[in-house]
Amino acid sequence: MACGTVVEPGVFKLETRDLPNHAPDGWVLVDIQAVGICGTDYHILEGKHPFLNYPRVIGHELSGRIAESTGSWTAGQLVVVNPYLSCNACRACTRGKPNCCSNIQVLGVHRDGGLCSRIAVPQQNLYPATGLTELQAAMVEFLAIGAHAVRRANLTAEDRVLVTGAGPIGIGTALFARLSGAEVHLMDMSRARLDQATAKFGFDNTHLAGTDILSSPLQDGFDVIFDATGNAAAIEAGFPLLAHGSRYVLVSVVKETISFSDPEFHKRETQIIGSRNATREDFETVMSAIRDDRINTDALCTLTLRLEDLPNKFSELAKDREGLIKAIVTL
């Protein structure tokens, strides 16, 4: 089978490997149907990911069909793959937080992923994609990142929210923040991205990064800020925008050290919240929202392409992502 592999930074190839025919005990063979291309995948191609060794088969936004009937699973059944493989034994896992397992293995990052015809996945990491299409199922994981961040923030309808970064994770976060009833604002360096967020999803409160947005009626700042920029300078620039009694949720991951003014932080009694990955609860929240037409997946999917076309397209997509929300590879 062909596997989409980043051999080294800047080099992506389709490598041939044997098709798996057996799964370990407790694991299930899944025939991959669609794979979303994520910012993580672009960072891997660019050599910017902090937790990765090369070469690596990428792909962690996965929908698939059960290859062989086993246990409660039926051959051909459509599933969403949770790519965060946890140990089930560390303190985080035993306290119900497998998303930040001490020994976590993320498909496509710590171990080879699903940009290929078939993979083996632990049964606990498969969720029935009832009522979803194959393309919709491949979008659940990236939306679950935003849903998890929103759940971590304990949003209410009284909160004024700013999401910085209007890429896929930022848009997903903003969508679930809006479903909570909060007043949602978006900020990005790209006017084109902000205009797209308005046109496709109806986000009217948009702000260009670098402009003074703390004017009336926003002079008191934001009750919750979600950072989805992946940029250390942008994260640091968010601290002065926080209201007193606020929460700062860091969704993106950066290699750099983040610094901020302690007096300003303390006088606001700000909470800094890290948000990593997602749990089954978040995946279920996303699938329910898609089934109920509360999330417009057609607007999220910018383009689809075949696996065999990706070697000629991947670098191009990585270089020009301004108008790209989600590219999905079909197998």
Side-chain angles (χ1 to χ4, degrees):
M1 65 177 179
C3 298
T5 307
V6 180
V7 180
E8 60 186 49
V11 181
F12 175 81
K13 294 181 178 179
L14 295 184
E15 295 188 338
T16 301
R17 302 191 182 183
D18 292 337
L19 186 75
N21 290 314
H22 301 283
D25 290 343
W27 292 51
V28 178
L29 292 175
V30 177
D31 290 329
I32 299 300
Q33 303 299 307
V35 183
I37 303 298
C38 171
T40 296
D41 301 314
Y42 298 123
H43 290 158
I44 292 170
L45 180 67
E46 296 162 346
K48 297 178 181 178
H49 200 284
F51 306 127
L52 183 128
N53 294 316
Y54 297 90
R56 179 63 69 226
V57 177
I58 60 172
H60 61 275
E61 299 180 3
L62 310 172
S63 74
R65 294 190 180 276
I66 301 299
E68 300 174 353
S69 297
T70 178
S72 60
W73 301 104
T74 303
Q77 182 178 1
L78 184 64
V79 293
V80 171
V81 176
N82 179 336
Y84 320 125
L85 277 55
S86 55
C87 71
N88 301 318
C90 71
R91 185 162 182 81
C93 285
T94 57
R95 291 172 62 84
K97 299 180 179 181
N99 59 298
C100 56
C101 166
S102 299
N103 307 297
I104 200 165
Q105 294 281 301
V106 180
L107 295 175
V109 179
H110 304 95
R111 60 190 298 153
D112 285 341
L115 193 58
C116 58
S117 299
R118 178 180 289 179
I119 60 170
V121 182
Q123 291 191 52
Q124 67 184 24
N125 288 74
L126 297 177
Y127 310 141
T130 307
L132 273 61
T133 67
E134 293 172 353
L135 291 183
Q136 287 175 327
M139 287 186 265
V140 171
E141 188 274 342
F142 94 85
L143 289 169
I145 298 290
H148 182 73
V150 168
R151 183 163 63 89
R152 293 274 288 150
N154 293 315
L155 285 190
T156 71
E158 286 72 43
D159 284 319
R160 179 192 295 155
V161 170
L162 176 66
V163 178
T164 58
I169 298 299
I171 291 295
T173 302
L175 289 170
F176 282 94
R178 185 167 64 186
L179 287 177
S180 76
E183 174 189 324
V184 179
H185 296 246
L186 275 169
M187 185 166 68
D188 198 276
M189 294 181 64
S190 167
R191 172 50 62 186
R193 276 191 168 185
L194 294 174
D195 289 346
Q196 179 175 242
T198 300
K200 285 193 170 187
F201 306 103
F203 289 111
D204 295 321
N205 299 318
T206 62
H207 310 275
L208 200 60
T211 58
D212 181 13
I213 67 174
L214 291 185
S215 57
S216 183
L218 302 177
Q219 59 187 1
D220 292 331
F222 296 90
D223 303 302
V224 183
I225 296 179
F226 296 92
D227 175 82
T229 65
N231 182 281
I235 294 173
E236 292 178 350
F239 281 92
L241 305 180
L242 290 159
H244 286 237
S246 55
R247 288 98 76 198
Y248 199 176
V249 185
L250 304 184
V251 189
S252 62
V253 179
V254 298
K255 287 184 177 182
E256 297 88 346
T257 298
I258 304 300
S259 63
F260 54 89
S261 166
D262 186 62
E264 292 296 321
F265 167 76
H266 263 86
K267 78 179 186 182
R268 287 171 168 79
E269 199 180 45
T270 295
Q271 298 179 55
I272 299 179
I273 302 171
S275 183
R276 188 181 186 194
N277 301 329
T279 66
R280 180 170 190 140
E281 179 179 350
D282 306 307
F283 279 76
E284 296 288 358
T285 294
V286 171
M287 287 191 283
S288 176
I290 293 174
R291 282 192 290 265
D292 295 342
D293 292 324
R294 290 178 287 140
I295 297 292
N296 184 352
T297 53
D298 288 339
L300 290 167
C301 182
T302 311
L303 79 154
T304 60
L305 63 162
R306 299 177 302 172
L307 178 60
E308 53 265 38
D309 297 329
L310 193 56
N312 294 327
K313 294 285 188 180
F314 197 13
S315 294
E316 178 184 328
L317 292 173
K319 290 175 183 176
D320 185 13
R321 287 181 265 164
E322 188 173 58
L324 183 67
I325 300 177
K326 183 57 56 178
I328 298 181
V329 179
T330 58
L331 287 91

